[in-house]
Amino acid sequence: MRKLAVEDLPALVRYANDPAVGGNIVNIPYPYREPDAAFRIGAVLKAFNAKTGFIFAMIHKDRQELIGEISLHLLDKVNPHAQLAYWTGEPFRNQGLTTEAVASVLEFGFDTLNVDLIYGDCKEENIASARVMMANGMKEHSRRGSLVVYAIEKERHPV
């Protein structure tokens, strides 16, 4: 993982331009085009600088290219907690790569950002995303309509 960069633009367009990504990530439209990716990279850098959102490029170790994104968004400075979000390009799903990235970003959130709680949500039918969160120790916390919210507290996160 690393900070999203301008050179990620072609891969970002290629892999985010997927109805499965646009249908599950609120701020990624479908179809996803180059102006969308350019705007996103600017917004990501702005959030990093403001320390309100940490959006990382998931980089394939062998190919050295972006294959998805993973992020933590800080939501409450008084009771520090963060929202987890991620997506993975279709050719790289079901290989354990997202599960590995979530493990790293949870560690970053608890150890570096010092948040107390990290939660993520997914649509009920998005079983793959639910499995990724559960594989990282996140438990079902609540439901909001068709969204299932998973959460993990700092003291319950394996060291």
Side-chain angles (χ1 to χ4, degrees):
M1 293 186 325
R2 64 165 167 70
K3 193 187 286 189
L4 197 62
V6 174
E7 57 268 15
D8 295 320
L9 197 134
L12 183 58
V13 171
R14 183 169 47 254
Y15 298 125
N17 189 32
D18 176 348
V21 173
N24 287 305
I25 304 293
V26 173
N27 57 2
I28 295 184
Y30 178 78
Y32 193 80
R33 297 192 171 95
E34 193 170 304
D36 300 310
F39 177 80
R40 181 157 185 81
I41 290 170
V44 163
L45 295 176
K46 185 177 178 181
F48 250 104
N49 291 338
K51 296 186 183 338
T52 57
F54 299 88
I55 300 95
F56 298 100
M58 291 178 8
I59 303 299
H60 193 279
K61 290 175 187 174
D62 297 332
R63 299 168 67 134
Q64 289 300 305
E65 81 168 335
L66 174 140
I67 61 168
E69 291 180 349
I70 186 163
S71 61
L72 285 177
H73 300 274
L74 300 178
L75 302 171
D76 186 342
K77 303 260 185 200
V78 176
N79 299 306
H81 63 279
Q83 181 179 19
L84 168 71
Y86 50 86
W87 65 267
T88 307
E90 194 278 325
F92 309 102
R93 296 178 192 151
N94 301 311
Q95 299 176 33
L97 302 171
T98 308
T99 300
E100 182 182 335
V102 168
S104 294
V105 88
L106 289 176
E107 185 176 326
F108 171 76
F110 290 130
D111 296 346
T112 303
L113 300 178
N114 202 32
V115 298
D116 295 328
L117 174 82
I118 297 175
Y119 78 91
D121 57 39
C122 64
K123 292 178 181 175
E124 200 169 43
E125 63 271 11
N126 191 346
I127 295 166
S129 188
R131 284 184 181 150
V132 165
M133 288 186 272
M134 290 186 296
N136 279 286
M138 299 177 79
K139 306 283 185 216
E140 186 175 324
H141 180 267
S142 61
R143 290 178 178 258
R144 294 185 304 226
S146 68
L147 284 181
V148 183
V149 179
Y150 294 86
I152 187 169
E153 296 174 322
K154 184 175 188 172
E155 62 267 9
R156 301 215 190 285
H157 184 256
V159 178

